[in-house]
Amino acid sequence: MATKKLLETDVYPSDRFKVFEHSLMVEMEMAKMEHEKVWGINRVIDLVDAEFRRKVIAQRERIWEASQARDEEKLDRAIKGMIAAYKALTRWAIEAGIEQMPKIDCMEHRMADGSLMVIVRDKQMATWYDQFHKLPVKRSVWTLEELEVVMNSKTLTQVREIKAAIPGTTMVPVTPQGSSGFEDMDNDINISKPFKSGKLFDTQAAERARDERRT
């Protein structure tokens, strides 16, 4: 399995510029993560003045332009400039006395439709998450109390009872095939017309037997 993965991801001969670009991007991502783990994701950039924000955005564009031009020298300068921008954002936040990101207890799950489902402990955590994680993605933030409301619905109450009775059971998505589930079966009886086939059951005999059991 590891060998197969290696063959899928590593291409030889390697692209010299792509290798150079990747090594620099790793350094920039590290600087970005160091900043965001203290001050939140895309939070400080929304708090600075318009001119500061414009310079940071322009620096990001320089990275894209250098990458498109495959210019190693310009890319090196642009990424170093972006690393300096993150440091400048950190200095601004400290000098402005901006509140640092609190510890947020949360779980994130990327759903099939591409949206992000976030589960947090309580309403305060939900507020902090929205405040400090300003990712440009479609997401829904749920508190444990809200999940309890959902789980107490009639259907999910039954599911909870099953999971409690049979540990290890899991829910899976089911694609409906029709309104009743019988639409894909052959229908050899036309109920819109009188039934003319021979008797399948002797109803009179059944009624006599029933009456005899009652007496």
Side-chain angles (χ1 to χ4, degrees):
M1 190 69 176
T3 303
K4 182 179 179 182
K5 187 67 176 176
L6 180 66
L7 293 175
E8 289 176 349
T9 56
D10 293 344
V11 179
Y12 298 99
S14 59
D15 184 321
R16 183 177 180 277
F17 177 79
K18 288 297 182 182
V19 173
F20 177 80
E21 180 181 42
H22 177 71
S23 64
L24 293 179
M25 292 294 286
V26 169
E27 293 181 18
M28 187 186 71
E29 283 299 313
M30 291 296 293
K32 180 174 180 286
M33 290 172 60
E34 286 296 314
H35 169 79
E36 291 180 343
K37 75 179 183 181
V38 177
W39 304 103
I41 299 174
N42 291 338
R43 176 167 171 259
V44 178
I45 189 69
D46 286 347
L47 299 176
V48 299
D49 60 81
E51 180 61 20
F52 194 163
R53 188 180 307 111
R54 185 193 66 78
K55 290 180 179 179
V56 174
I57 294 173
Q59 191 63 38
R60 289 174 180 168
E61 292 177 352
R62 291 190 184 100
I63 296 174
W64 181 84
E65 291 170 355
S67 177
Q68 293 299 302
R70 296 177 66 86
D71 189 316
E72 292 186 5
E73 185 177 345
K74 286 184 178 180
L75 183 64
D76 182 55
R77 290 200 305 267
I79 288 183
K80 286 180 179 177
M82 195 66 221
I83 292 174
Y86 283 118
K87 292 180 179 178
L89 287 169
T90 296
R91 286 196 302 271
W92 183 92
I94 293 173
E95 292 171 1
I98 302 301
E99 180 187 5
Q100 295 186 9
M101 183 172 69
K103 179 176 174 54
I104 302 175
D105 297 328
C106 69
M107 295 181 65
E108 298 176 340
H109 173 67
R110 182 71 61 179
M111 302 184 72
D113 63 358
S115 64
L116 189 67
M117 179 176 68
V118 184
I119 300 174
V120 296
R121 190 179 64 202
D122 51 33
K123 188 174 181 179
Q124 179 63 69
M125 292 286 179
T127 301
W128 283 343
Y129 189 94
D130 285 330
Q131 180 181 1
F132 288 92
H133 292 70
K134 297 189 176 183
L135 291 171
V137 295
K138 182 181 178 182
R139 71 187 184 197
S140 58
V141 182
W142 299 79
T143 66
L144 293 178
E145 188 175 0
E146 289 175 316
L147 285 181
E148 182 182 4
V149 174
V150 175
M151 297 298 287
N152 281 334
S153 65
K154 183 177 180 180
T155 300
L156 289 181
T157 297
Q158 295 173 341
V159 172
R160 287 194 294 114
E161 291 173 352
I162 293 172
K163 290 178 72 67
I166 312 175
T169 55
T170 58
M171 291 184 67
V172 296
V174 177
T175 302
Q177 300 298 318
S179 59
S180 68
F182 292 98
E183 284 73 12
D184 57 346
M185 299 179 66
D186 293 332
N187 184 8
D188 57 356
I189 301 177
N190 187 350
I191 61 175
S192 64
K193 298 180 180 179
F195 185 65
K196 298 181 179 180
S197 298
K199 285 188 175 181
L200 299 178
F201 304 99
D202 188 339
T203 55
Q204 291 182 353
E207 290 175 356
R208 286 196 299 271
R210 181 193 61 192
D211 294 338
E212 290 175 357
R213 286 196 299 271
R214 289 179 176 177
T215 58

